[in-house]
């Protein structure tokens, strides 16, 4: 479970020097401290020669605190066992699929089983429910051992990520020391910051503002302020947020804007009361799927990052989201689930690479402000359901390649602000566009009405043709019946011979 020295050289060295993990000889005198690093061990690794500052006790003590999570995870994994092999993981997945398929088959048989005539229907349903419960419990028991294999693999995967993040952090701490930033390495041990956090913990403060302090590392202790409601860490130099953020269970507002974050911890999904999250102005390439678990979110700002997509289920699990800011990213398409954000009122997606909108975008019936400007050559058309955004007040479509507005555009009765500049628009004509939003709405509404009237005319014409066709069919049938009757009568009345000419005329 120990980090590979070749892959994680600093982390491996720091962990090997932690007194809780390294066998040590008895203290030479009574003044020895149990938490001090043994830097005088014989045969020190070559890394000390390459990185001489690792011989600094203060630096090592600071690094030791920085890797506390790694040490804890290492201890847990040592207890539960080695990582399963790829073959074992694949086998576990295959077995789970088999069990699930078998369960589906058994449940289907239970449903299709005929009720015995002597059994009353309510009793039969109770009997079926009991059999279904037994099947599910049996399947769950069988799946438990295979699930544990996958969970163990996931834990080791998370441990690998933890090692990578820890190594990056230690490298930054060493570089900070090398650059001569002072006696203490990293802002995680900044006395002023620690003092603020201690005061917040002691007094049960609800708001803490650490913005603009050039913080590079965040003290782990910040996760121990359960009463914190608002936390501002904007305009710093943070490259990572510790998983201990999950301890801020009552947090409602978190501002991490203008930092150097490349990722967010999965534990952010445990902030069940979070209403406002601002991570704009970072280096995020993706958002963790767990962000969808922050079901209380009202405002989410992820603008000015390197995002190329949003979590697939973001729309299904954020029922309270009213404001979504995703501008200045590289997003090529929006997930279809975004159409389920029924509370959404404000959506800014300008300066992306959007190729279009989900077909069901019209389901956002509470949307009031929409900015789709500056997607340039990528955005060429809007779906017909766009006209269902009946509460839309402001719309910016400038700097795109839109040739025609959708026919339903005239239904946007509440639209008062519209920007269509820098588009090769043909419909409506530019002379209409230049007259303003009301002229555009009126033109498109009249066009929509004309389309509806034309469709109604075609439908009426088709119905008339069908009715006329039916009358002719009925008339022809009646004539055939009459002529047949007359011919039959003439041929049978009094045995009179049939006249061939008369038959032909009839």
């Amino acid at each position: 479970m120990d980090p590979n020295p070749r892959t994680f050289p600093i982390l491996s060295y720091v962990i090997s020097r932690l007194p809780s993990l390294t066998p040590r000889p008895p203290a030479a005198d009574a003044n020895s401290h149990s938490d001090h690093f043994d830097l005088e061990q014989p045969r020190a690794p070559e890394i000390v020669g390459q990185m001489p500052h690792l011989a600094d006790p203060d630096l090592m003590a600071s690094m030791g605190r920085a890797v506390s999570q790694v040490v804890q995870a290492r201890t847990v994994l040592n207890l539960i066992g080695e990582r399963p092999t790829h073959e074992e993981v694949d086998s576990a997945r295959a077995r789970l699929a088999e069990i699930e398929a078998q369960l589906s088959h058994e449940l289907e048989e239970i449903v299709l089983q005929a009720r015995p005539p002597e059994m009353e229907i309510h009793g039969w349903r109770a009997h079926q429910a009991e059999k279904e419960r037994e099947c599910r419990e049996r399947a769950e028991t069988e799946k438990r051992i295979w699930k544990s294999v996958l969970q163990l693999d996931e834990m080791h995967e998370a441990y690998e990520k933890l090692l990578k993040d820890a190594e990056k952090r230690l490298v930054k701490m060493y570089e900070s020391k090398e650059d001569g930033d002072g006696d203490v390495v990293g802002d995680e041990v900044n006395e002023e910051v620690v003092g603020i956090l201690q005061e917040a913990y002691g007094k049960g403060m609800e708001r803490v503002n650490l913005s603009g302090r050039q913080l590079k590392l965040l003290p782990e202790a910040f996760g121990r302020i359960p009463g914190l409601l608002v936390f501002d860490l904007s305009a710093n130099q943070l490259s990572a947020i510790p998983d201990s953020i999950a301890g801020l269970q009552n947090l409602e507002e978190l501002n991490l804007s203008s930092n150097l974050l490349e990722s967010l911890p999965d534990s952010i999904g445990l902030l069940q009361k979070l209403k406002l999250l601002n991570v704009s102005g970072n280096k995020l390439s993706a958002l963790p799927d767990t962000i969808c678990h922050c079901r209380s979110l009202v405002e989410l700002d992820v603008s000015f990052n390197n995002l190329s997509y949003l979590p697939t289920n973001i729309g299904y699990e954020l029922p309270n989201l009213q404001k979504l800011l995703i501008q200045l990213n590289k997003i090529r398409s929006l997930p279809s689930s975004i159409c389920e954000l029924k509370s959404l009122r404000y959506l800014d997606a300008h300066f992306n690479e959007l190729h279009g909108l989900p077909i069901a975008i019209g389901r956002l019936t509470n949307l009031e402000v929409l900015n789709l400007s500056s997607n340039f050559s990528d955005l060429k058309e809007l779906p017909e359901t766009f006209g269902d955004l009946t509460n839309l007040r402001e719309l910016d479509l400038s700097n795109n390649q839109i040739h025609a507005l959708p026919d339903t555009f005239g239904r946007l009765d509440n639209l008062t602000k519209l920007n269509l500049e820098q588009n090769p628009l043909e419909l409506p004509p530019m002379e209409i566009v230049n007259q303003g939003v009301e002229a555009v709405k009126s033109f498109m509404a009249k066009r929509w009405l004309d389309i509806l009237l034309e469709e109604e005319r075609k439908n009426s014409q088709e119905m008339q043709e069908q009715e006329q066709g039916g009358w002719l069919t009925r008339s022809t049938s009646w004539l055939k019946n009459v002529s047949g009757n007359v011919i039959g009568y003439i041929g049978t009345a009094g045995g009179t011979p049939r006249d061939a000419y008369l038959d032909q005329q009839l």
Side-chain angles (χ1 to χ4, degrees):
M1 304 298 172
D2 290 333
N4 188 327
R6 294 183 179 179
T7 310
F8 310 105
I10 303 180
L11 178 61
S12 177
Y13 177 71
V14 171
I15 287 182
S16 72
R17 291 302 185 265
L18 288 174
S20 59
L21 303 176
T22 307
R24 302 186 59 203
D29 56 67
N31 295 324
S32 297
H33 297 286
S34 60
D35 61 345
H36 193 71
F37 284 79
D38 184 3
L39 300 175
E40 303 301 328
Q41 289 186 1
R43 298 196 310 174
E46 292 182 7
I47 190 171
V48 177
Q50 300 169 358
M51 307 178 77
H53 289 300
L54 290 178
D56 186 331
D58 290 334
L59 173 59
M60 289 300 293
S62 180
M63 286 183 167
R65 288 190 292 271
V67 300
S68 59
Q69 283 184 300
V70 174
V71 174
Q72 293 172 3
R74 175 184 179 277
T75 303
V76 172
L77 291 178
N78 275 330
L79 291 174
I80 62 178
E82 296 287 339
R83 183 171 188 172
T85 63
H86 289 297
E87 290 78 10
E88 291 170 336
V89 172
D90 290 341
S91 177
R93 286 175 177 156
R95 189 70 187 104
L96 283 171
E98 290 174 6
I99 295 172
E100 198 64 40
Q102 179 63 25
L103 175 62
S104 298
H105 178 69
E106 292 177 357
L107 294 178
E108 185 178 356
E109 286 185 341
I110 292 173
V111 172
L112 296 177
Q113 192 173 4
R115 175 173 63 89
E118 67 275 7
M119 184 173 286
E120 186 259 337
I121 187 168
H122 294 294
W124 174 245
R125 287 177 179 172
H127 172 72
Q128 284 184 309
E130 179 62 22
K131 290 186 69 175
E132 181 179 334
R133 184 187 63 79
E134 291 175 357
C135 285
R136 291 186 184 278
E137 287 183 353
R138 185 169 60 252
E140 199 58 41
T141 302
E142 288 183 47
K143 288 194 289 186
R144 196 168 296 143
I145 185 171
W146 305 111
K147 281 184 176 180
S148 66
V149 174
L150 298 184
Q151 288 170 352
L152 181 58
D153 182 64
E154 290 170 0
M155 290 178 70
H156 279 275
E157 183 69 27
Y159 179 62
E160 287 291 327
K161 183 178 182 298
L162 196 62
L163 295 180
K164 293 177 183 177
D165 292 343
E167 182 71 16
K168 288 181 182 178
R169 182 179 300 182
L170 295 181
V171 168
K172 288 181 179 293
M173 292 175 71
Y174 187 87
E175 290 174 349
S176 178
K177 178 66 176 179
E178 204 169 31
D179 292 341
D181 281 355
D183 297 331
V184 196
V185 178
D187 295 280
E188 99 169 45
V189 287
N190 182 295
E191 292 183 5
E192 183 182 5
V193 172
V194 171
I196 292 173
L197 295 176
Q198 287 176 343
E199 182 183 6
Y201 176 76
K203 294 183 178 180
M205 293 171 61
E206 295 183 348
R207 293 174 175 267
V208 171
N209 188 345
L210 295 177
S211 62
R213 294 177 180 269
Q214 297 185 336
L215 294 176
K216 295 182 179 179
L217 296 168
L218 192 59
E220 294 282 345
F222 86 100
R224 302 170 191 159
I225 313 175
L228 196 60
L229 299 180
V230 180
F231 197 15
D232 189 348
L233 287 162
S234 61
N236 282 294
Q237 300 175 29
L238 298 172
S239 58
I241 301 297
D243 281 319
S244 55
I245 194 173
L248 305 177
Q249 297 179 357
N250 292 303
L251 194 65
E252 295 182 359
E253 296 183 17
L254 177 59
N255 190 346
L256 298 171
S257 62
S258 302
N259 277 284
L260 304 173
L261 300 175
E262 296 181 0
S263 64
L264 295 176
D266 289 334
S267 59
I268 201 167
L270 298 174
L271 302 179
Q272 297 291 310
K273 296 183 179 180
L274 193 64
K275 295 180 180 178
L276 187 152
L277 175 60
N278 187 348
V279 292
S280 62
N282 281 282
K283 299 181 178 181
L284 300 174
S285 57
L287 297 175
D289 290 336
T290 55
I291 204 169
C292 298
H293 299 163
C294 301
R295 295 179 61 83
S296 298
L297 269 179
V298 174
E299 180 175 335
L300 176 59
D301 188 349
V302 297
S303 60
F304 204 7
N305 278 285
N306 296 318
L307 300 176
S308 57
Y309 63 94
L310 296 176
T312 304
N313 294 325
I314 191 170
Y316 298 130
E317 302 186 50
L318 298 179
N320 300 303
L321 193 65
Q322 295 182 16
K323 193 170 186 178
L324 179 58
L325 306 173
I326 58 175
Q327 68 268 25
L328 293 157
N329 279 288
K330 301 176 182 178
I331 298 173
R332 298 176 63 84
S333 64
L334 299 176
S336 58
S337 70
I338 206 169
C339 304
E340 304 303 321
L341 292 171
K342 299 302 175 60
S343 299
L344 194 65
R345 298 180 181 277
Y346 190 106
L347 174 58
D348 191 344
H350 79 271
F351 265 108
N352 276 284
E353 300 174 8
L354 290 176
H355 281 62
L357 298 177
I359 190 66
I361 193 70
R363 295 170 67 90
L364 299 177
T365 52
N366 285 312
L367 193 64
E368 297 178 357
V369 179
L370 176 59
N371 190 344
L372 296 172
S373 65
S374 301
N375 280 276
F376 300 106
S377 60
D378 297 301
L379 188 58
K380 299 179 180 179
E381 61 181 0
L382 301 174
E384 287 297 322
T385 56
F386 200 84
D388 295 332
L389 302 174
T390 51
N391 278 311
L392 199 62
R393 294 186 294 103
E394 299 181 15
L395 174 62
D396 193 343
L397 295 173
S398 59
N399 292 298
N400 289 300
Q401 288 296 310
I402 298 174
H403 290 265
L405 296 180
D407 292 329
T408 56
F409 195 89
R411 293 162 54 189
L412 303 178
D413 295 333
N414 291 308
L415 193 65
T416 58
K417 189 174 181 181
L418 175 63
N419 189 349
L420 295 171
E421 294 177 359
Q422 302 301 316
N423 277 286
L425 268 177
E426 299 173 2
L427 183 69
M430 286 309 299
E431 57 266 24
I432 299 295
V433 173
N434 293 334
Q435 295 176 30
V437 59
E438 292 301 326
V440 172
K441 285 165 55 179
S442 178
F443 178 90
M444 296 304 295
K446 183 178 182 302
R447 175 181 168 80
W448 177 242
L449 182 60
D450 291 342
I451 290 173
L452 293 179
L453 290 174
E454 179 64 19
E455 288 184 357
E456 185 177 352
R457 186 189 66 78
K458 288 181 179 179
N459 291 336
S460 298
Q461 184 177 354
E462 289 177 0
M463 289 180 64
Q464 289 176 2
E465 290 175 354
Q466 290 174 0
E467 288 176 358
Q468 290 175 357
W471 180 84
L472 288 172
T473 302
R474 290 193 299 272
S475 300
T476 304
S477 176
W478 178 80
L479 284 173
K480 285 182 178 179
N481 290 336
V482 170
S483 63
N485 291 338
V486 171
I487 291 172
Y489 172 77
I490 293 174
T492 57
T496 306
R498 295 169 62 96
D499 187 292
Y501 177 77
L502 183 59
D503 282 352
Q504 182 181 1
Q505 295 302 315
L506 289 171

